[in-house]
């Protein structure tokens, strides 16, 4: 039974609140790390784990969470995951040691993965496909905006020092928001499940989790520790484990069981190409923000607050064009995807041009136009991407797609962070070696600035190739009747 419009909107509201908290927790902690390090004596390795433990646990739970949602009910997994996320956030905000904080972040990531894995299926099944471009535009704008604004919001919360909580506020703010999302989900989500409990795919759970850990962990840390023999060995092992997982899922499905990974999804051009485009865009976006943050704070010596302010035009561009994207999608269909890449790539070239001059490189006014253009590219891209990827799913496969889509995005972010970070630090080291001992502030910033310029050029080339690939998609995607999926 399809939900009424009122219930569908409640479900969307619960999903938007959830994705806002989940995505903001990826980036909000970065600006608070210095305060955390002083307050609970967290060393450099502990600080790294405080950031990475959440994203790693989050990414490695998505496929399993989507599969469990199909077996146990979307409502059960969403509500249970959100309750655990609220509790873990409270534990993060009251942690008295770095060990306790890292452990709570792991629980937070697992709980967040369980919630996120239900969201695409809940939204897709609650609205007719004709409305998908609108609701996924809202979903994409919320997720992207939260990740972009995370450092700014974190800086404000730490600076305000509400109730003398300091850095703890960035975690404790999740408690009231999470309780609100939890209440909406309890009264709006249904919990239909199969009449007969299928056989549990414990081997698939183990292989998928291990394969993702071996892939994402070394990539996420390669920019800090370099490409060691252990990194290469872990990546090689991940390829073997993921191949074993795919083989197991193929056999599991042929045996008549419910697989975690519906391999038939990748036979659809829209799904396979959409996932490849997702990796390219989210990898480029993550690498861009990571290196720009380093260049602004350590190269140009801007404060964390001012660095956060610089991101606001990007967030505004993403939000504005996410709102406009449904009307654009109705006119030009999937051609919005290459348009998004073109806008993002053009902004990269504009940034590269600005780095040749000290005044323009440090001028917020000069940066505003390219930042808005880059955000517009993200806004134009994200909403039709989600709509395109799920366009050929059905009642059997949409649950698996709900786990694959965010997993692919997380993998893209890890790959982008590793490869762009490797390029950035390699270029920076080569330039720093030839820097005179006595130099001006602008000259001292050149290793960062020139390395950043190389990143802009490479990202421009990557997104240009992605734009070409996007033209392989059909211009229009199907808009049949609503999916009869339990939500």
């Amino acid at each position: 039974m399809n939900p009424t419009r009122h219930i569908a909107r409640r479900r969307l509201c619960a999903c938007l609140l959830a994705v806002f908290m989940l995505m903001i927790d990826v980036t909000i902690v970065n600006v608070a790390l210095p305060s955390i390090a002083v307050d609970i004596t967290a060393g450099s390795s502990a600080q790294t784990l405080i950031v990475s433990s959440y994203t790693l646990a989050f990414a490695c739970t998505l496929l399993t969470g989507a599969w469990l949602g199909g077996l146990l009910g979307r409502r059960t997994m969403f509500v249970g995951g959100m309750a655990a996320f609220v509790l873990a956030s409270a534990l993060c905000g009251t942690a008295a040691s770095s060990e306790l904080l890292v452990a709570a972040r792991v629980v937070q990531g697992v709980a967040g993965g369980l919630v996120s894995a239900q969201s695409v299926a809940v939204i897709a099944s609650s609205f007719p496909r004709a409305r998908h471009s609108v609701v996924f535009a809202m979903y994409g704008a919320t997720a992207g905006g939260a990740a972009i604004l995370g450092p700014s919001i974190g800086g404000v919360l730490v600076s305000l020092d509400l109730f003398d909580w300091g850095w703890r506020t960035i975690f404790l703010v999740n408690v009231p928001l999470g309780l609100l999302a939890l209440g909406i989900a309890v009264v709006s989500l249904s919990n239909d499940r199969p009449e007969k409990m299928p056989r549990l795919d414990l081997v698939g759970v183990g292989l998928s989790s291990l394969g993702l850990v071996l892939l994402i962990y070394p990539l996420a840390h390669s920019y800090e520790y370099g490409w060691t023999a252990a990194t290469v060995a872990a990546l090689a092992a991940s390829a073997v484990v993921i191949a074993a997982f795919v083989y197991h899922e193929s056999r599991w499905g042929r045996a008549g069981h419910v697989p975690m990974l519906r391999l038939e999804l990748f036979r659809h051009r829209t799904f396979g190409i959409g996932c490849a485009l997702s990796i390219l865009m989210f990898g480029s976006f993550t690498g861009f923000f990571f290196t720009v943050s380093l260049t602004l704070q350590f190269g140009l010596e801007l404060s964390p607050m001012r660095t956060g302010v610089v991101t606001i035009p990007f967030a505004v561009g993403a939000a504005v064009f996410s709102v406009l994207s449904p009307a654009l999608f109705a006119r030009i269909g999937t051609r919005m995807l290459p348009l998004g890449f073109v806008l993002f790539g053009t902004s990269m070239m504009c940034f590269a041009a600005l780095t040749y001059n000290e005044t323009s490189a440090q001028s917020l006014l000069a940066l505003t136009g390219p930042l808005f253009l880059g955000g517009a590219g993200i806004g134009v891209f994200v909403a039709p991407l989600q709509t395109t990827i799920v366009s050929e799913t059905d009642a059997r496969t949409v649950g698996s797609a709900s786990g694959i889509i965010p997993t692919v995005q997380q993998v893209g972010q890890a790959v982008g962070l590793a490869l762009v970070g490797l390029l950035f630090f390699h270029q920076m080291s080569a330039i720093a070696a030839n820097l005179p001992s006595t130099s001006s502030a602008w000259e001292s910033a050149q290793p960062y600035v020139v390395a950043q310029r190389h990143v802009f050029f490479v990202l421009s080339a990557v997104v240009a190739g992605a734009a070409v690939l996007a033209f392989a998609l059909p211009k229009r995607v199907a808009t049949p009747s609503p999916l009869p999926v339990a939500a």
Side-chain angles (χ1 to χ4, degrees):
M1 180 183 296
N2 295 321
T4 65
R5 181 179 298 181
H6 186 59
I7 292 176
R9 288 176 176 173
R10 284 183 179 178
R11 293 178 179 178
L12 178 62
C13 183
C15 290
L16 294 183
L17 273 173
V19 75
F20 179 82
M21 290 187 296
L22 301 181
M23 291 299 100
I24 205 172
D25 261 47
V26 175
T27 56
I28 195 173
V29 73
N30 292 320
V31 75
L33 280 177
S35 301
I36 294 173
V38 171
D39 190 28
I40 59 175
T41 317
S44 58
S45 59
Q47 292 178 51
T48 301
L49 285 173
I50 290 168
V51 176
S52 63
S53 57
Y54 174 81
T55 55
L56 182 64
F58 185 92
C60 295
T61 307
L62 289 165
L63 279 177
T64 301
W67 174 69
L68 288 174
L71 299 184
L72 305 178
R74 303 282 172 209
R75 180 176 181 270
T76 296
M77 299 311 300
F78 191 101
V79 170
M82 182 55 66
F85 185 83
V86 170
L87 177 60
S89 296
L91 292 175
C92 287
T94 56
S97 68
S98 59
E99 292 81 8
L100 289 175
L101 180 54
V102 170
R105 286 284 280 173
V106 171
V107 176
Q108 206 184 26
V110 171
L114 293 177
V115 174
S116 179
Q118 319 309 319
S119 298
V120 173
V122 168
I123 293 173
S125 61
S126 299
F127 293 87
R129 295 217 193 213
R131 297 285 294 166
H132 280 186
S133 61
V134 175
V135 293
F136 280 124
M138 298 172 66
Y139 183 80
T142 302
I148 294 166
L149 290 174
S152 301
I153 295 174
V156 170
L157 289 176
V158 173
S159 300
L160 289 177
D161 194 18
L162 298 172
F163 309 109
D164 293 325
W165 288 346
W167 61 268
R168 299 178 187 277
T169 314
I170 68 172
F171 298 114
L172 295 176
V173 73
N174 287 332
V175 175
L177 291 177
L179 290 175
L180 178 59
L182 188 62
I184 297 172
V186 167
V187 300
S188 63
L189 298 185
S190 62
N191 205 41
D192 296 339
R193 64 184 75 183
E195 294 182 4
K196 181 180 179 181
M197 182 67 178
R199 185 177 174 184
L200 295 179
D201 185 10
L202 298 180
V203 174
V205 170
L207 289 174
S208 65
S209 300
L210 178 60
L212 288 170
V213 169
L214 290 172
L215 173 65
I216 295 174
Y217 183 82
L219 285 175
H221 291 272
S222 60
Y223 72 88
E224 183 176 3
Y225 301 109
W227 286 74
T228 63
T231 299
V232 175
L235 293 176
S238 75
V240 174
V241 174
I242 291 173
F245 168 66
V246 172
Y247 176 71
H248 169 76
E249 291 301 291
S250 177
R251 290 189 59 190
W252 191 260
R254 289 199 303 269
H257 305 305
V258 179
M260 293 177 60
L261 182 68
R262 296 277 185 179
L263 295 175
E264 63 264 34
L265 282 168
F266 292 94
R267 299 193 189 109
H268 300 300
R269 184 170 38 144
T270 53
F271 192 87
I273 295 177
C275 286
L277 295 176
S278 184
I279 290 175
L280 292 171
M281 176 57 92
F282 282 92
S284 300
F285 166 74
T286 302
F288 162 75
F289 257 101
F290 172 67
T291 55
V292 165
S293 178
L294 291 177
T295 299
L296 292 175
Q297 292 190 66
F298 296 104
L300 301 178
E301 299 183 348
L302 301 187
S303 67
M305 179 66 76
R306 189 176 176 191
T307 301
V309 169
V310 168
T311 67
I312 292 177
F314 195 101
V316 171
V320 168
F321 278 85
S322 291
V323 172
L324 296 176
S325 65
L328 292 172
F329 190 68
R331 285 178 172 270
I332 62 176
T334 61
R335 295 299 178 259
M336 284 181 66
L337 298 176
L339 175 61
F341 280 117
V342 168
L343 293 175
F344 189 73
T346 302
S347 74
M348 295 298 101
M349 295 302 294
C350 292
F351 283 127
L354 293 174
T355 61
Y356 286 98
N357 180 272
E358 179 179 3
T359 302
S360 61
Q362 301 186 68
S363 169
L364 180 58
L365 182 61
L367 293 172
T368 296
L371 282 166
F372 183 85
L373 189 64
I378 298 294
V380 164
F381 176 85
V382 170
L385 174 70
Q386 306 281 352
T387 305
T388 301
I389 291 178
V390 302
S391 63
E392 294 186 279
T393 56
D394 54 30
R396 294 182 311 106
T397 59
V398 72
S400 182
S402 189
I404 294 172
I405 293 170
T407 301
V408 165
Q409 293 172 357
Q410 291 292 321
V411 169
Q413 290 176 357
V415 172
L417 183 65
L419 297 182
V420 175
L422 180 66
L423 169 67
F424 180 81
F425 287 116
H426 174 74
Q427 292 292 331
M428 194 176 71
S429 299
I431 298 164
N434 300 316
L435 191 69
S437 56
T438 57
S439 55
S440 65
W442 176 245
E443 290 172 336
S444 298
Q446 286 307 292
Y448 288 92
V449 173
V450 177
Q452 187 66 69
R453 189 183 305 143
H454 279 84
V455 168
F456 289 146
F457 286 141
V458 170
L459 290 181
S460 297
V462 170
V463 298
V468 174
L469 176 61
F471 278 102
L473 290 167
K475 186 175 180 180
R476 299 287 177 184
V477 293
T479 56
S481 59
L483 290 168
V485 179

